[in-house]
Amino acid sequence: MSNVPTITLNDQVAIPQLGFGVWQVGNDEVVSAVGKALEVGYRHIDTAAAYQNESGVGRAIKESGIARDELFITTKLWNSDHAAADARRAIEQSLENLGLDHLDLYLIHWPAVQKYGNLYIEAWDALQGFKEEGLTRSIGVSNFSAEHLEAINGAVPSVDQIEMHPTFSQAAFRATLAERGIVPEAWSPLGQAKDLNSPVIGQIAQDLGKSNAQVIIRWHLQIGNIVIPKSVTPERIAQNFDVFDFELSDEQLNLINSLDSGNRIGADPATATF
Ligand code: A2P
């Protein structure tokens, strides 16, 4: 049995707090990566239509033989599909690619305001319908700022998946999400490997006899983030899951909190033009 804690979302759906991310993993390579992740015990997989690897993820799920109700599968609606009819076609395509009859979590990938204006509000209405129909158990958003959360109507998103890692830890926005009952989910949780080079992380890892990646993943878990580290390297996939036999002290958490530079690595939702 998995020892991964779950977080109960605002719609009572339970999500495993540690999952496996597959951004920038090709559709062939993703089969072995997800296969390895499922073998070592991950049950939560995070993909997106835009990653173009949903069918590989689906193949790995099928080949694993793991029961559907033991898995937690997230995918995301791409920016060009925010209009209601496009959103429906998109979720149906994602389900077909994944070989599933329902998702566990469906996210609006970006608000994409620069390119598509306020169409993300129509997308949010569509997602609420998909949840009512049972096409997905839970619905949320990604890369939404406070203004985008303000603009959407009706049910509150269960999660907001945003860039978060020690050098961009978003403490103030995490507090905003907490006030709204939205759970923060971290993309690029290792800072796309860049934050692994921090001497502060290195010292804590040395003190604990853990790897730098394990320390960062543990920090995410202890500050309440859902975390989905990506790796295509079997040993790292296993190592990143082996984070439940130690704890960071408050002092160690604060040292990592102090690494925040306010600088993103990825795109800024306020200026992204895709
Ligand atoms: P790789 O996939 O080649 O194993 P993020 O999740 O923040 O986007 O970070 C992903 C990056 O971090 C990838 O380059 C991945 O490399 C690397 N990575 C993932 N886990 C580890 C680890 N345990 N040790 C070192 N690098 C890692």
Side-chain angles (χ1 to χ4, degrees):
M1 272 309 286
S2 162
N3 49 3
V4 178
T6 57
I7 292 182
T8 302
L9 302 172
N10 57 24
D11 55 8
Q12 304 311 311
V13 170
I15 183 170
Q17 199 183 354
L18 175 61
F20 185 65
V22 296
W23 181 44
Q24 293 180 322
V25 184
N27 196 50
D28 291 332
E29 196 176 25
V30 86
V31 181
S32 57
V34 171
K36 176 68 184 177
L38 294 171
E39 183 192 311
V40 303
Y42 294 80
R43 291 294 177 266
H44 167 186
I45 311 293
D46 181 280
T47 183
Y51 301 170
Q52 299 189 330
N53 59 18
E54 288 174 319
S55 64
V57 171
R59 196 174 134 198
I61 291 170
K62 189 164 182 222
E63 286 176 358
S64 77
I66 296 169
R68 175 67 186 91
D69 63 2
E70 286 183 33
L71 295 169
F72 192 100
I73 309 298
T74 301
T75 194
K76 312 184 191 83
L77 177 70
W78 186 239
N79 304 352
S80 52
D81 291 328
H82 283 180
D86 293 332
R88 171 157 303 270
R89 186 187 37 71
I91 193 172
E92 286 173 355
Q93 184 66 58
S94 286
L95 286 166
E96 186 184 324
N97 291 346
L98 287 160
L100 301 176
D101 64 2
H102 71 278
L103 302 167
D104 296 285
L105 180 60
Y106 197 45
L107 305 180
I108 299 177
H109 205 148
W110 293 86
V113 176
Q114 279 65 234
K115 193 156 184 188
Y116 299 105
N118 287 337
L119 211 48
Y120 70 92
I121 298 174
E122 187 169 327
W124 179 246
D125 291 342
L127 261 61
Q128 289 182 74
F130 299 157
K131 180 173 154 91
E132 277 165 26
E133 278 179 63
L135 295 176
T136 182
R137 294 170 63 224
S138 195
I139 53 176
V141 296
S142 184
N143 301 301
F144 273 40
S145 309
E147 66 194 276
H148 310 121
L149 294 171
E150 204 68 61
I152 56 177
N153 306 310
V156 179
S158 57
V159 310
D160 192 356
Q161 186 182 121
I162 53 177
E163 178 178 344
M164 277 191 291
H165 43 87
T167 58
F168 189 65
S169 53
Q170 304 237 45
F173 189 53
R174 269 192 281 120
T176 301
L177 293 176
E179 277 166 25
R180 292 170 179 265
I182 301 169
V183 178
E185 178 166 20
W187 63 254
S188 291
L190 306 174
Q192 294 170 29
K194 295 186 181 73
D195 285 7
L196 295 171
N197 301 324
S198 156
V200 170
I201 304 282
Q203 184 62 54
I204 295 171
Q206 196 181 323
D207 291 346
L208 292 168
K210 299 291 170 184
S211 76
N212 294 20
Q214 287 172 318
V215 166
I216 294 180
I217 293 166
R218 194 65 224 176
W219 169 79
H220 282 286
L221 295 171
Q222 288 184 227
I223 66 171
N225 292 344
I226 301 165
V227 57
I228 47 170
K230 170 264 174 187
S231 176
V232 293
T233 313
E235 308 81 61
R236 293 174 175 172
I237 294 170
Q239 180 196 112
N240 295 348
F241 193 73
D242 182 17
V243 290
F244 298 105
D245 64 348
F246 74 106
E247 269 191 29
L248 302 174
S249 67
D250 288 345
E251 191 189 345
Q252 288 166 329
L253 290 174
N254 286 333
L255 278 170
I256 300 174
N257 290 337
S258 73
L259 297 176
D260 185 32
S261 67
N263 296 325
R264 297 172 185 274
I265 293 175
D268 184 341
T271 54
T273 51
F274 48 84

PDB file of all heavy atoms in Angstrom, residues 58 72 112 124 133 163 190 234 236:
ATOM      1  N   GLY A  58      -1.533   6.703 -21.163  1.00  0.00           N
ATOM      2  CA  GLY A  58      -2.625   5.716 -21.170  1.00  0.00           C
ATOM      3  C   GLY A  58      -2.110   4.291 -21.358  1.00  0.00           C
ATOM      4  O   GLY A  58      -2.576   3.360 -20.703  1.00  0.00           O
ATOM      5  N   PHE A  72      -4.985   8.270  -9.714  1.00  0.00           N
ATOM      6  CA  PHE A  72      -5.471   9.649  -9.763  1.00  0.00           C
ATOM      7  C   PHE A  72      -4.828  10.306 -10.985  1.00  0.00           C
ATOM      8  O   PHE A  72      -3.611  10.554 -11.021  1.00  0.00           O
ATOM      9  CB  PHE A  72      -5.087  10.410  -8.488  1.00  0.00           C
ATOM     10  CG  PHE A  72      -5.803  11.727  -8.362  1.00  0.00           C
ATOM     11  CD1 PHE A  72      -6.921  11.856  -7.541  1.00  0.00           C
ATOM     12  CD2 PHE A  72      -5.388  12.835  -9.098  1.00  0.00           C
ATOM     13  CE1 PHE A  72      -7.605  13.063  -7.445  1.00  0.00           C
ATOM     14  CE2 PHE A  72      -6.071  14.049  -9.016  1.00  0.00           C
ATOM     15  CZ  PHE A  72      -7.181  14.162  -8.184  1.00  0.00           C
ATOM     16  N   ALA A 112      -4.605  32.424 -20.402  1.00  0.00           N
ATOM     17  CA  ALA A 112      -4.367  32.808 -21.819  1.00  0.00           C
ATOM     18  C   ALA A 112      -5.105  34.077 -22.215  1.00  0.00           C
ATOM     19  O   ALA A 112      -5.639  34.186 -23.324  1.00  0.00           O
ATOM     20  CB  ALA A 112      -4.736  31.643 -22.740  1.00  0.00           C
ATOM     21  N   TRP A 124     -14.284  27.613 -17.867  1.00  0.00           N
ATOM     22  CA  TRP A 124     -14.596  27.216 -16.486  1.00  0.00           C
ATOM     23  C   TRP A 124     -16.038  26.718 -16.387  1.00  0.00           C
ATOM     24  O   TRP A 124     -16.317  25.712 -15.727  1.00  0.00           O
ATOM     25  CB  TRP A 124     -14.326  28.360 -15.510  1.00  0.00           C
ATOM     26  CG  TRP A 124     -14.659  27.989 -14.098  1.00  0.00           C
ATOM     27  CD1 TRP A 124     -15.634  28.515 -13.324  1.00  0.00           C
ATOM     28  CD2 TRP A 124     -14.034  26.958 -13.325  1.00  0.00           C
ATOM     29  NE1 TRP A 124     -15.664  27.887 -12.097  1.00  0.00           N
ATOM     30  CE2 TRP A 124     -14.693  26.930 -12.079  1.00  0.00           C
ATOM     31  CE3 TRP A 124     -12.991  26.057 -13.573  1.00  0.00           C
ATOM     32  CZ2 TRP A 124     -14.330  26.025 -11.078  1.00  0.00           C
ATOM     33  CZ3 TRP A 124     -12.640  25.159 -12.573  1.00  0.00           C
ATOM     34  CH2 TRP A 124     -13.300  25.156 -11.345  1.00  0.00           C
ATOM     35  N   GLU A 133     -21.407  15.876 -15.187  1.00  0.00           N
ATOM     36  CA  GLU A 133     -21.646  14.696 -16.046  1.00  0.00           C
ATOM     37  C   GLU A 133     -20.830  13.488 -15.621  1.00  0.00           C
ATOM     38  O   GLU A 133     -21.018  12.399 -16.169  1.00  0.00           O
ATOM     39  CB  GLU A 133     -21.223  15.014 -17.485  1.00  0.00           C
ATOM     40  CG  GLU A 133     -22.227  15.771 -18.291  1.00  0.00           C
ATOM     41  CD  GLU A 133     -21.652  16.040 -19.679  1.00  0.00           C
ATOM     42  OE1 GLU A 133     -21.395  15.063 -20.417  1.00  0.00           O
ATOM     43  OE2 GLU A 133     -21.428  17.200 -20.002  1.00  0.00           O
ATOM     44  N   GLU A 163       3.694  27.605 -10.918  1.00  0.00           N
ATOM     45  CA  GLU A 163       5.135  27.437 -10.730  1.00  0.00           C
ATOM     46  C   GLU A 163       5.487  27.706  -9.263  1.00  0.00           C
ATOM     47  O   GLU A 163       5.194  28.780  -8.742  1.00  0.00           O
ATOM     48  CB  GLU A 163       5.911  28.401 -11.646  1.00  0.00           C
ATOM     49  CG  GLU A 163       7.404  28.277 -11.442  1.00  0.00           C
ATOM     50  CD  GLU A 163       8.245  29.170 -12.344  1.00  0.00           C
ATOM     51  OE1 GLU A 163       7.726  29.695 -13.348  1.00  0.00           O
ATOM     52  OE2 GLU A 163       9.437  29.336 -12.019  1.00  0.00           O
ATOM     53  N   LEU A 190      11.145  21.269  -8.685  1.00  0.00           N
ATOM     54  CA  LEU A 190      12.591  21.299  -8.417  1.00  0.00           C
ATOM     55  C   LEU A 190      13.238  22.498  -9.118  1.00  0.00           C
ATOM     56  O   LEU A 190      14.470  22.588  -9.193  1.00  0.00           O
ATOM     57  CB  LEU A 190      13.244  19.991  -8.914  1.00  0.00           C
ATOM     58  CG  LEU A 190      12.618  18.695  -8.388  1.00  0.00           C
ATOM     59  CD1 LEU A 190      13.242  17.474  -9.057  1.00  0.00           C
ATOM     60  CD2 LEU A 190      12.747  18.598  -6.875  1.00  0.00           C
ATOM     61  N   PRO A 234      15.175   6.243 -14.075  1.00  0.00           N
ATOM     62  CA  PRO A 234      14.542   5.316 -13.133  1.00  0.00           C
ATOM     63  C   PRO A 234      14.954   5.511 -11.680  1.00  0.00           C
ATOM     64  O   PRO A 234      14.103   5.534 -10.792  1.00  0.00           O
ATOM     65  CB  PRO A 234      14.956   3.933 -13.666  1.00  0.00           C
ATOM     66  CG  PRO A 234      15.155   4.148 -15.135  1.00  0.00           C
ATOM     67  CD  PRO A 234      15.692   5.552 -15.280  1.00  0.00           C
ATOM     68  N   ARG A 236      16.035   8.176 -10.185  1.00  0.00           N
ATOM     69  CA  ARG A 236      15.474   9.422  -9.654  1.00  0.00           C
ATOM     70  C   ARG A 236      13.973   9.307  -9.427  1.00  0.00           C
ATOM     71  O   ARG A 236      13.439   9.874  -8.469  1.00  0.00           O
ATOM     72  CB  ARG A 236      15.758  10.582 -10.611  1.00  0.00           C
ATOM     73  CG  ARG A 236      17.220  10.927 -10.711  1.00  0.00           C
ATOM     74  CD  ARG A 236      17.416  11.982 -11.776  1.00  0.00           C
ATOM     75  NE  ARG A 236      18.789  12.431 -11.846  1.00  0.00           N
ATOM     76  CZ  ARG A 236      19.245  13.241 -12.801  1.00  0.00           C
ATOM     77  NH1 ARG A 236      18.429  13.672 -13.760  1.00  0.00           N
ATOM     78  NH2 ARG A 236      20.505  13.611 -12.795  1.00  0.00           N
TER      79      ARG A 236
END
